[in-house]
Amino acid sequence: MAEGKMLEEKLFSKHLNEEMEVIIYLPPQYSPLYKYPLFIVQDGKDYIRFGKMPKLVDELTQTNEIQKSVFAFLPYKTVEDRRRKYHPDGDQNEAYIRFLADELVPFLENLFPSFQMAGSRFLMGDSLGASVSLKACLEYPYTFGNAILHSPFVNDDLLNMTQNAKPGSLKLFHIVGDQENEVETTAHTVDNFLEPNQKLNQVVTEKGFEATFQLFQGGHRWTYWQPFLKPSLTYMLPTNTFDLESMSS
């Protein structure tokens, strides 16, 4: 089986005033003559290590179950750093979202040919990584049009932002576990993830977003998220979603 290529890049963020690491996956038979959808993945090393994403994407690409895409995996430096950037109330949350939209997207699209439209850009993450992915889509609907949410932390602000969003601007893949009513967080609290996620799904359904939601049997662990990576990718990026037109056309 042909394998994609992994690259490591760094860029300095003016919004965050720090250097950011980006691990990039290019699909098998990648060619700069064609345009590709772009996935930006929070919790990047977790998706590589626990989710086994590169191997899965190789398999799904080879079996023609998803379209060839470029993936950018964003690692977090520490648990505290992750919370500051990903949590809706984190002191770097807004700066991090500006980094995603204003700095990372142009950086990646300067390196790799893409369709340069919201519908061909995807954000994904788990827990707080899913929260910041959803919030970025809601704040920058003309930049990001899709989000894969694995058990996101959902607060009232995110619910209100979703309630006020335009339904046609966002496509969602959303899961949460039936045992996530008592989740031990990195802030050493025990939070109910289940009920707010059900409320989020209710808002999404009432608003008429293009979305799929599943309540799985399990808790707030990669053991339960990993099996949903394949359906999340095939739902978001079935083959022939985009025409991989030649850059010279």
Side-chain angles (χ1 to χ4, degrees), residues 38-57:
L38 175 62
F39 277 79
I40 296 175
V41 186
Q42 324 303 328
D43 305 298
K45 287 186 178 178
D46 291 346
Y47 274 85
I48 293 172
R49 180 182 175 187
F50 302 122
K52 301 177 176 60
M53 279 274 289
K55 181 179 179 181
L56 174 63
V57 174

mmCIF file with all atom_site columns, all heavy atoms in Angstrom, residues 38-57:
data_model
loop_
_atom_site.group_PDB
_atom_site.id
_atom_site.type_symbol
_atom_site.label_atom_id
_atom_site.label_alt_id
_atom_site.label_comp_id
_atom_site.label_asym_id
_atom_site.label_entity_id
_atom_site.label_seq_id
_atom_site.pdbx_PDB_ins_code
_atom_site.Cartn_x
_atom_site.Cartn_y
_atom_site.Cartn_z
_atom_site.occupancy
_atom_site.B_iso_or_equiv
_atom_site.pdbx_formal_charge
_atom_site.auth_seq_id
_atom_site.auth_comp_id
_atom_site.auth_asym_id
_atom_site.auth_atom_id
_atom_site.pdbx_PDB_model_num
ATOM 1   N N   . LEU A 1 38 ? -8.213  20.779 2.682  1.00 0.00 ? 38 LEU A N   1
ATOM 2   C CA  . LEU A 1 38 ? -7.264  20.982 3.772  1.00 0.00 ? 38 LEU A CA  1
ATOM 3   C C   . LEU A 1 38 ? -7.922  20.679 5.116  1.00 0.00 ? 38 LEU A C   1
ATOM 4   O O   . LEU A 1 38 ? -8.949  21.265 5.459  1.00 0.00 ? 38 LEU A O   1
ATOM 5   C CB  . LEU A 1 38 ? -6.763  22.430 3.763  1.00 0.00 ? 38 LEU A CB  1
ATOM 6   C CG  . LEU A 1 38 ? -5.844  22.856 4.908  1.00 0.00 ? 38 LEU A CG  1
ATOM 7   C CD1 . LEU A 1 38 ? -4.557  22.056 4.907  1.00 0.00 ? 38 LEU A CD1 1
ATOM 8   C CD2 . LEU A 1 38 ? -5.555  24.360 4.817  1.00 0.00 ? 38 LEU A CD2 1
ATOM 9   N N   . PHE A 1 39 ? -7.317  19.752 5.868  1.00 0.00 ? 39 PHE A N   1
ATOM 10  C CA  . PHE A 1 39 ? -7.752  19.438 7.229  1.00 0.00 ? 39 PHE A CA  1
ATOM 11  C C   . PHE A 1 39 ? -6.749  20.016 8.213  1.00 0.00 ? 39 PHE A C   1
ATOM 12  O O   . PHE A 1 39 ? -5.549  19.787 8.080  1.00 0.00 ? 39 PHE A O   1
ATOM 13  C CB  . PHE A 1 39 ? -7.820  17.916 7.444  1.00 0.00 ? 39 PHE A CB  1
ATOM 14  C CG  . PHE A 1 39 ? -9.085  17.273 6.959  1.00 0.00 ? 39 PHE A CG  1
ATOM 15  C CD1 . PHE A 1 39 ? -9.268  17.013 5.610  1.00 0.00 ? 39 PHE A CD1 1
ATOM 16  C CD2 . PHE A 1 39 ? -10.088 16.916 7.854  1.00 0.00 ? 39 PHE A CD2 1
ATOM 17  C CE1 . PHE A 1 39 ? -10.422 16.411 5.154  1.00 0.00 ? 39 PHE A CE1 1
ATOM 18  C CE2 . PHE A 1 39 ? -11.250 16.319 7.410  1.00 0.00 ? 39 PHE A CE2 1
ATOM 19  C CZ  . PHE A 1 39 ? -11.423 16.063 6.053  1.00 0.00 ? 39 PHE A CZ  1
ATOM 20  N N   . ILE A 1 40 ? -7.248  20.731 9.221  1.00 0.00 ? 40 ILE A N   1
ATOM 21  C CA  . ILE A 1 40 ? -6.412  21.232 10.312 1.00 0.00 ? 40 ILE A CA  1
ATOM 22  C C   . ILE A 1 40 ? -6.860  20.526 11.576 1.00 0.00 ? 40 ILE A C   1
ATOM 23  O O   . ILE A 1 40 ? -8.026  20.611 11.974 1.00 0.00 ? 40 ILE A O   1
ATOM 24  C CB  . ILE A 1 40 ? -6.532  22.757 10.447 1.00 0.00 ? 40 ILE A CB  1
ATOM 25  C CG1 . ILE A 1 40 ? -5.993  23.437 9.179  1.00 0.00 ? 40 ILE A CG1 1
ATOM 26  C CG2 . ILE A 1 40 ? -5.785  23.246 11.676 1.00 0.00 ? 40 ILE A CG2 1
ATOM 27  C CD1 . ILE A 1 40 ? -6.184  24.938 9.158  1.00 0.00 ? 40 ILE A CD1 1
ATOM 28  N N   . VAL A 1 41 ? -5.939  19.805 12.214 1.00 0.00 ? 41 VAL A N   1
ATOM 29  C CA  . VAL A 1 41 ? -6.279  18.893 13.303 1.00 0.00 ? 41 VAL A CA  1
ATOM 30  C C   . VAL A 1 41 ? -5.668  19.385 14.615 1.00 0.00 ? 41 VAL A C   1
ATOM 31  O O   . VAL A 1 41 ? -4.444  19.435 14.755 1.00 0.00 ? 41 VAL A O   1
ATOM 32  C CB  . VAL A 1 41 ? -5.790  17.460 13.002 1.00 0.00 ? 41 VAL A CB  1
ATOM 33  C CG1 . VAL A 1 41 ? -6.275  16.489 14.069 1.00 0.00 ? 41 VAL A CG1 1
ATOM 34  C CG2 . VAL A 1 41 ? -6.252  17.013 11.616 1.00 0.00 ? 41 VAL A CG2 1
ATOM 35  N N   . GLN A 1 42 ? -6.536  19.771 15.569 1.00 0.00 ? 42 GLN A N   1
ATOM 36  C CA  . GLN A 1 42 ? -6.059  20.100 16.912 1.00 0.00 ? 42 GLN A CA  1
ATOM 37  C C   . GLN A 1 42 ? -5.627  18.787 17.599 1.00 0.00 ? 42 GLN A C   1
ATOM 38  O O   . GLN A 1 42 ? -5.954  17.703 17.146 1.00 0.00 ? 42 GLN A O   1
ATOM 39  C CB  . GLN A 1 42 ? -7.161  20.771 17.736 1.00 0.00 ? 42 GLN A CB  1
ATOM 40  C CG  . GLN A 1 42 ? -8.084  21.694 16.973 1.00 0.00 ? 42 GLN A CG  1
ATOM 41  C CD  . GLN A 1 42 ? -7.390  22.823 16.230 1.00 0.00 ? 42 GLN A CD  1
ATOM 42  O OE1 . GLN A 1 42 ? -6.359  23.333 16.658 1.00 0.00 ? 42 GLN A OE1 1
ATOM 43  N NE2 . GLN A 1 42 ? -7.948  23.225 15.093 1.00 0.00 ? 42 GLN A NE2 1
ATOM 44  N N   . ASP A 1 43 ? -4.925  18.912 18.713 1.00 0.00 ? 43 ASP A N   1
ATOM 45  C CA  . ASP A 1 43 ? -4.450  17.711 19.417 1.00 0.00 ? 43 ASP A CA  1
ATOM 46  C C   . ASP A 1 43 ? -3.680  16.811 18.449 1.00 0.00 ? 43 ASP A C   1
ATOM 47  O O   . ASP A 1 43 ? -3.829  15.587 18.454 1.00 0.00 ? 43 ASP A O   1
ATOM 48  C CB  . ASP A 1 43 ? -5.615  16.924 20.027 1.00 0.00 ? 43 ASP A CB  1
ATOM 49  C CG  . ASP A 1 43 ? -6.490  17.763 20.935 1.00 0.00 ? 43 ASP A CG  1
ATOM 50  O OD1 . ASP A 1 43 ? -5.975  18.255 21.948 1.00 0.00 ? 43 ASP A OD1 1
ATOM 51  O OD2 . ASP A 1 43 ? -7.684  17.927 20.640 1.00 0.00 ? 43 ASP A OD2 1
ATOM 52  N N   . GLY A 1 44 ? -2.850  17.434 17.612 1.00 0.00 ? 44 GLY A N   1
ATOM 53  C CA  . GLY A 1 44 ? -2.280  16.745 16.462 1.00 0.00 ? 44 GLY A CA  1
ATOM 54  C C   . GLY A 1 44 ? -1.565  15.445 16.752 1.00 0.00 ? 44 GLY A C   1
ATOM 55  O O   . GLY A 1 44 ? -1.787  14.435 16.087 1.00 0.00 ? 44 GLY A O   1
ATOM 56  N N   . LYS A 1 45 ? -0.691  15.443 17.762 1.00 0.00 ? 45 LYS A N   1
ATOM 57  C CA  . LYS A 1 45 ? 0.065   14.219 18.043 1.00 0.00 ? 45 LYS A CA  1
ATOM 58  C C   . LYS A 1 45 ? -0.822  13.131 18.640 1.00 0.00 ? 45 LYS A C   1
ATOM 59  O O   . LYS A 1 45 ? -0.538  11.941 18.478 1.00 0.00 ? 45 LYS A O   1
ATOM 60  C CB  . LYS A 1 45 ? 1.239   14.531 18.970 1.00 0.00 ? 45 LYS A CB  1
ATOM 61  C CG  . LYS A 1 45 ? 2.369   15.281 18.259 1.00 0.00 ? 45 LYS A CG  1
ATOM 62  C CD  . LYS A 1 45 ? 3.594   15.466 19.155 1.00 0.00 ? 45 LYS A CD  1
ATOM 63  C CE  . LYS A 1 45 ? 4.719   16.176 18.388 1.00 0.00 ? 45 LYS A CE  1
ATOM 64  N NZ  . LYS A 1 45 ? 5.904   16.419 19.237 1.00 0.00 ? 45 LYS A NZ  1
ATOM 65  N N   . ASP A 1 46 ? -1.906  13.519 19.312 1.00 0.00 ? 46 ASP A N   1
ATOM 66  C CA  . ASP A 1 46 ? -2.849  12.521 19.822 1.00 0.00 ? 46 ASP A CA  1
ATOM 67  C C   . ASP A 1 46 ? -3.557  11.819 18.670 1.00 0.00 ? 46 ASP A C   1
ATOM 68  O O   . ASP A 1 46 ? -3.759  10.597 18.704 1.00 0.00 ? 46 ASP A O   1
ATOM 69  C CB  . ASP A 1 46 ? -3.885  13.176 20.733 1.00 0.00 ? 46 ASP A CB  1
ATOM 70  C CG  . ASP A 1 46 ? -3.280  13.667 22.040 1.00 0.00 ? 46 ASP A CG  1
ATOM 71  O OD1 . ASP A 1 46 ? -2.142  13.261 22.349 1.00 0.00 ? 46 ASP A OD1 1
ATOM 72  O OD2 . ASP A 1 46 ? -3.944  14.443 22.738 1.00 0.00 ? 46 ASP A OD2 1
ATOM 73  N N   . TYR A 1 47 ? -3.928  12.581 17.639 1.00 0.00 ? 47 TYR A N   1
ATOM 74  C CA  . TYR A 1 47 ? -4.583  11.977 16.481 1.00 0.00 ? 47 TYR A CA  1
ATOM 75  C C   . TYR A 1 47 ? -3.617  11.083 15.701 1.00 0.00 ? 47 TYR A C   1
ATOM 76  O O   . TYR A 1 47 ? -4.036  10.092 15.105 1.00 0.00 ? 47 TYR A O   1
ATOM 77  C CB  . TYR A 1 47 ? -5.175  13.056 15.566 1.00 0.00 ? 47 TYR A CB  1
ATOM 78  C CG  . TYR A 1 47 ? -6.563  13.465 15.984 1.00 0.00 ? 47 TYR A CG  1
ATOM 79  C CD1 . TYR A 1 47 ? -6.759  14.442 16.951 1.00 0.00 ? 47 TYR A CD1 1
ATOM 80  C CD2 . TYR A 1 47 ? -7.684  12.857 15.436 1.00 0.00 ? 47 TYR A CD2 1
ATOM 81  C CE1 . TYR A 1 47 ? -8.029  14.813 17.349 1.00 0.00 ? 47 TYR A CE1 1
ATOM 82  C CE2 . TYR A 1 47 ? -8.966  13.221 15.816 1.00 0.00 ? 47 TYR A CE2 1
ATOM 83  C CZ  . TYR A 1 47 ? -9.132  14.197 16.781 1.00 0.00 ? 47 TYR A CZ  1
ATOM 84  O OH  . TYR A 1 47 ? -10.404 14.550 17.186 1.00 0.00 ? 47 TYR A OH  1
ATOM 85  N N   . ILE A 1 48 ? -2.351  11.432 15.719 1.00 0.00 ? 48 ILE A N   1
ATOM 86  C CA  . ILE A 1 48 ? -1.357  10.587 15.051 1.00 0.00 ? 48 ILE A CA  1
ATOM 87  C C   . ILE A 1 48 ? -1.083  9.333  15.879 1.00 0.00 ? 48 ILE A C   1
ATOM 88  O O   . ILE A 1 48 ? -1.085  8.211  15.357 1.00 0.00 ? 48 ILE A O   1
ATOM 89  C CB  . ILE A 1 48 ? -0.054  11.368 14.821 1.00 0.00 ? 48 ILE A CB  1
ATOM 90  C CG1 . ILE A 1 48 ? -0.280  12.500 13.803 1.00 0.00 ? 48 ILE A CG1 1
ATOM 91  C CG2 . ILE A 1 48 ? 1.057   10.438 14.326 1.00 0.00 ? 48 ILE A CG2 1
ATOM 92  C CD1 . ILE A 1 48 ? 0.897   13.449 13.653 1.00 0.00 ? 48 ILE A CD1 1
ATOM 93  N N   . ARG A 1 49 ? -0.882  9.519  17.187 1.00 0.00 ? 49 ARG A N   1
ATOM 94  C CA  . ARG A 1 49 ? -0.492  8.398  18.053 1.00 0.00 ? 49 ARG A CA  1
ATOM 95  C C   . ARG A 1 49 ? -1.670  7.496  18.416 1.00 0.00 ? 49 ARG A C   1
ATOM 96  O O   . ARG A 1 49 ? -1.636  6.280  18.206 1.00 0.00 ? 49 ARG A O   1
ATOM 97  C CB  . ARG A 1 49 ? 0.139   8.945  19.330 1.00 0.00 ? 49 ARG A CB  1
ATOM 98  C CG  . ARG A 1 49 ? 0.573   7.861  20.314 1.00 0.00 ? 49 ARG A CG  1
ATOM 99  C CD  . ARG A 1 49 ? 1.146   8.484  21.575 1.00 0.00 ? 49 ARG A CD  1
ATOM 100 N NE  . ARG A 1 49 ? 1.465   7.475  22.567 1.00 0.00 ? 49 ARG A NE  1
ATOM 101 C CZ  . ARG A 1 49 ? 1.846   7.748  23.814 1.00 0.00 ? 49 ARG A CZ  1
ATOM 102 N NH1 . ARG A 1 49 ? 1.964   9.013  24.207 1.00 0.00 ? 49 ARG A NH1 1
ATOM 103 N NH2 . ARG A 1 49 ? 2.115   6.784  24.666 1.00 0.00 ? 49 ARG A NH2 1
ATOM 104 N N   . PHE A 1 50 ? -2.719  8.074  18.965 1.00 0.00 ? 50 PHE A N   1
ATOM 105 C CA  . PHE A 1 50 ? -3.856  7.275  19.436 1.00 0.00 ? 50 PHE A CA  1
ATOM 106 C C   . PHE A 1 50 ? -4.867  6.999  18.328 1.00 0.00 ? 50 PHE A C   1
ATOM 107 O O   . PHE A 1 50 ? -5.481  5.931  18.278 1.00 0.00 ? 50 PHE A O   1
ATOM 108 C CB  . PHE A 1 50 ? -4.551  7.982  20.602 1.00 0.00 ? 50 PHE A CB  1
ATOM 109 C CG  . PHE A 1 50 ? -3.654  8.262  21.767 1.00 0.00 ? 50 PHE A CG  1
ATOM 110 C CD1 . PHE A 1 50 ? -3.465  9.564  22.225 1.00 0.00 ? 50 PHE A CD1 1
ATOM 111 C CD2 . PHE A 1 50 ? -2.973  7.239  22.407 1.00 0.00 ? 50 PHE A CD2 1
ATOM 112 C CE1 . PHE A 1 50 ? -2.626  9.828  23.286 1.00 0.00 ? 50 PHE A CE1 1
ATOM 113 C CE2 . PHE A 1 50 ? -2.127  7.494  23.477 1.00 0.00 ? 50 PHE A CE2 1
ATOM 114 C CZ  . PHE A 1 50 ? -1.956  8.797  23.918 1.00 0.00 ? 50 PHE A CZ  1
ATOM 115 N N   . GLY A 1 51 ? -5.051  7.985  17.446 1.00 0.00 ? 51 GLY A N   1
ATOM 116 C CA  . GLY A 1 51 ? -6.006  7.811  16.353 1.00 0.00 ? 51 GLY A CA  1
ATOM 117 C C   . GLY A 1 51 ? -5.444  7.082  15.147 1.00 0.00 ? 51 GLY A C   1
ATOM 118 O O   . GLY A 1 51 ? -6.199  6.622  14.298 1.00 0.00 ? 51 GLY A O   1
ATOM 119 N N   . LYS A 1 52 ? -4.099  7.026  15.063 1.00 0.00 ? 52 LYS A N   1
ATOM 120 C CA  . LYS A 1 52 ? -3.430  6.372  13.923 1.00 0.00 ? 52 LYS A CA  1
ATOM 121 C C   . LYS A 1 52 ? -3.929  6.946  12.601 1.00 0.00 ? 52 LYS A C   1
ATOM 122 O O   . LYS A 1 52 ? -4.173  6.230  11.636 1.00 0.00 ? 52 LYS A O   1
ATOM 123 C CB  . LYS A 1 52 ? -3.640  4.853  13.973 1.00 0.00 ? 52 LYS A CB  1
ATOM 124 C CG  . LYS A 1 52 ? -3.104  4.205  15.254 1.00 0.00 ? 52 LYS A CG  1
ATOM 125 C CD  . LYS A 1 52 ? -3.396  2.725  15.296 1.00 0.00 ? 52 LYS A CD  1
ATOM 126 C CE  . LYS A 1 52 ? -2.778  2.056  16.520 1.00 0.00 ? 52 LYS A CE  1
ATOM 127 N NZ  . LYS A 1 52 ? -3.270  2.607  17.801 1.00 0.00 ? 52 LYS A NZ  1
ATOM 128 N N   . MET A 1 53 ? -4.052  8.261  12.580 1.00 0.00 ? 53 MET A N   1
ATOM 129 C CA  . MET A 1 53 ? -4.656  8.939  11.434 1.00 0.00 ? 53 MET A CA  1
ATOM 130 C C   . MET A 1 53 ? -3.900  8.763  10.127 1.00 0.00 ? 53 MET A C   1
ATOM 131 O O   . MET A 1 53 ? -4.521  8.478  9.100  1.00 0.00 ? 53 MET A O   1
ATOM 132 C CB  . MET A 1 53 ? -4.818  10.427 11.746 1.00 0.00 ? 53 MET A CB  1
ATOM 133 C CG  . MET A 1 53 ? -6.047  10.745 12.569 1.00 0.00 ? 53 MET A CG  1
ATOM 134 S SD  . MET A 1 53 ? -7.529  10.977 11.548 1.00 0.00 ? 53 MET A SD  1
ATOM 135 C CE  . MET A 1 53 ? -7.141  12.550 10.782 1.00 0.00 ? 53 MET A CE  1
ATOM 136 N N   . PRO A 1 54 ? -2.572  8.936  10.090 1.00 0.00 ? 54 PRO A N   1
ATOM 137 C CA  . PRO A 1 54 ? -1.895  8.794  8.795  1.00 0.00 ? 54 PRO A CA  1
ATOM 138 C C   . PRO A 1 54 ? -2.148  7.435  8.139  1.00 0.00 ? 54 PRO A C   1
ATOM 139 O O   . PRO A 1 54 ? -2.427  7.363  6.940  1.00 0.00 ? 54 PRO A O   1
ATOM 140 C CB  . PRO A 1 54 ? -0.421  8.995  9.141  1.00 0.00 ? 54 PRO A CB  1
ATOM 141 C CG  . PRO A 1 54 ? -0.444  9.861  10.362 1.00 0.00 ? 54 PRO A CG  1
ATOM 142 C CD  . PRO A 1 54 ? -1.633  9.380  11.142 1.00 0.00 ? 54 PRO A CD  1
ATOM 143 N N   . LYS A 1 55 ? -2.056  6.360  8.923  1.00 0.00 ? 55 LYS A N   1
ATOM 144 C CA  . LYS A 1 55 ? -2.300  5.029  8.377  1.00 0.00 ? 55 LYS A CA  1
ATOM 145 C C   . LYS A 1 55 ? -3.741  4.886  7.904  1.00 0.00 ? 55 LYS A C   1
ATOM 146 O O   . LYS A 1 55 ? -4.007  4.334  6.830  1.00 0.00 ? 55 LYS A O   1
ATOM 147 C CB  . LYS A 1 55 ? -1.996  3.967  9.431  1.00 0.00 ? 55 LYS A CB  1
ATOM 148 C CG  . LYS A 1 55 ? -2.201  2.537  8.940  1.00 0.00 ? 55 LYS A CG  1
ATOM 149 C CD  . LYS A 1 55 ? -1.868  1.525  10.021 1.00 0.00 ? 55 LYS A CD  1
ATOM 150 C CE  . LYS A 1 55 ? -2.102  0.100  9.531  1.00 0.00 ? 55 LYS A CE  1
ATOM 151 N NZ  . LYS A 1 55 ? -1.793  -0.903 10.597 1.00 0.00 ? 55 LYS A NZ  1
ATOM 152 N N   . LEU A 1 56 ? -4.685  5.412  8.685  1.00 0.00 ? 56 LEU A N   1
ATOM 153 C CA  . LEU A 1 56 ? -6.091  5.341  8.305  1.00 0.00 ? 56 LEU A CA  1
ATOM 154 C C   . LEU A 1 56 ? -6.355  6.112  7.019  1.00 0.00 ? 56 LEU A C   1
ATOM 155 O O   . LEU A 1 56 ? -7.058  5.624  6.115  1.00 0.00 ? 56 LEU A O   1
ATOM 156 C CB  . LEU A 1 56 ? -6.963  5.891  9.430  1.00 0.00 ? 56 LEU A CB  1
ATOM 157 C CG  . LEU A 1 56 ? -8.461  6.010  9.132  1.00 0.00 ? 56 LEU A CG  1
ATOM 158 C CD1 . LEU A 1 56 ? -9.070  4.634  8.860  1.00 0.00 ? 56 LEU A CD1 1
ATOM 159 C CD2 . LEU A 1 56 ? -9.188  6.714  10.270 1.00 0.00 ? 56 LEU A CD2 1
ATOM 160 N N   . VAL A 1 57 ? -5.778  7.311  6.916  1.00 0.00 ? 57 VAL A N   1
ATOM 161 C CA  . VAL A 1 57 ? -5.983  8.121  5.707  1.00 0.00 ? 57 VAL A CA  1
ATOM 162 C C   . VAL A 1 57 ? -5.366  7.432  4.497  1.00 0.00 ? 57 VAL A C   1
ATOM 163 O O   . VAL A 1 57 ? -5.945  7.446  3.402  1.00 0.00 ? 57 VAL A O   1
ATOM 164 C CB  . VAL A 1 57 ? -5.413  9.539  5.904  1.00 0.00 ? 57 VAL A CB  1
ATOM 165 C CG1 . VAL A 1 57 ? -5.486  10.328 4.597  1.00 0.00 ? 57 VAL A CG1 1
ATOM 166 C CG2 . VAL A 1 57 ? -6.177  10.269 7.002  1.00 0.00 ? 57 VAL A CG2 1
#
